[in-house]
Amino acid sequence: MSRRRIGQEKFGFAVDHGQHSSLDELAGLIYWVPIDQALCVISCSAKGEPAWPPTALFKAMLLSIWYSSLMARL
């Protein structure tokens, strides 16, 4: 089974004004290549919908943990 391909789709007439979020800055602080290589061995099911990329799921898990720890401090 294939994996989903995720990314921000843009319209042809959209103009990029170079606006980035704090998540873009955070993603730039971590070198994701070794993490992606370690997670790529996770296989997906032979049936059903295409799987989400393991690195995207790992990033979502990190955000969840960081957000929870931040909220616990408040």
Side-chain angles (χ1 to χ4, degrees), residues 35-55:
I35 297 169
D36 190 40
Q37 290 171 345
L39 294 175
C40 76
V41 297
I42 298 172
S43 62
C44 47
S45 174
K47 296 181 179 180
E49 293 185 27
W52 291 100
T55 306

